[in-house]
Amino acid sequence: MKRILGIAAAIALFGAGTALAHGFKAGAIEIGHPWARATAPSAPNGGAYLSLTNTGTTEDRLVGASTPAAEKAELHTHLNENGVMKMREVAGGIPVPAGEAVKLAPGGLHIMLLGLKQPLVKGAHIPMTLRFEKAGTVEVEIAVEAAGQAAAPAEGHSMGAAGAGHTHNAAPAQKQ
């Protein structure tokens, strides 16, 4: 009877884990659902989005990103200059205050992928390295969503068993 209950509990936990969005961790920084919009076949650039939550007691800063999917990845924001919206690189990185969350989303802060080596296709997953001032580096996986996606899908979206509900640390790679 204990064995049957143990198996049932394991199945229930596995099922709950696959319903969670993918997340990663670097030191005190939790990185939630990294994603990008699919691009047109001729698009030279794309954007990546995610949430950063600082669970620590001191501010940290996202200072850079890189991916083999693009020649360059830059931290960008949108600015309104005399009624014209423009994208600009964020000088000095993106601060993540202690105990707060920062959202990188369309129309605001984002990671600009310059010189895409191939189009971003819905359903694909691309590797990206994020660099933090204090937390160090962490490898994340960017999930490519539909081209018209305005924000990250609901936290309970289905990704299948691979990659769902997992966390990665910056220092020795360990699943939590």
Side-chain angles (χ1 to χ4, degrees):
M1 184 66 167
K2 283 185 180 182
R3 183 177 174 157
I4 292 172
L5 289 175
I7 292 170
I11 291 170
L13 288 173
F14 176 76
T18 59
L20 299 174
H22 62 295
F24 303 84
K25 188 168 175 71
I29 305 294
E30 294 177 355
I31 300 124
H33 189 69
W35 68 283
R37 286 183 176 146
T39 59
S42 61
N45 305 319
Y49 316 99
L50 46 84
S51 64
L52 301 170
T53 303
N54 187 341
T55 62
T57 57
T58 59
E59 179 176 286
D60 204 340
R61 182 175 297 271
L62 177 62
V63 294
S66 60
T67 177
E71 292 174 16
K72 190 173 186 181
E74 294 180 348
L75 307 178
H76 276 213
T77 190
H78 281 89
L79 300 173
N80 186 335
E81 292 181 358
N82 300 319
V84 178
M85 291 302 289
K86 297 181 179 183
M87 278 189 276
R88 294 286 183 256
E89 189 170 6
V90 177
I94 298 171
V96 187
E100 294 188 27
V102 175
K103 188 169 185 159
L104 281 64
L109 293 168
H110 60 282
I111 300 168
M112 193 74 197
L113 306 176
L114 303 167
L116 288 173
K117 295 180 181 174
Q118 61 187 25
L120 301 179
V121 179
K122 182 182 177 188
H125 292 88
I126 59 173
M128 180 176 282
T129 301
L130 301 176
R131 289 183 311 280
F132 293 91
E133 188 174 76
K134 295 177 182 156
T137 62
V138 63
E139 298 291 323
V140 300
E141 184 177 83
I142 305 292
V144 181
E145 305 292 345
Q149 194 75 36
E155 289 297 311
H157 79 285
S158 175
M159 286 184 46
H166 61 272
T167 301
H168 297 264
N169 294 320
Q174 298 175 344
K175 274 193 175 178
Q176 289 186 340

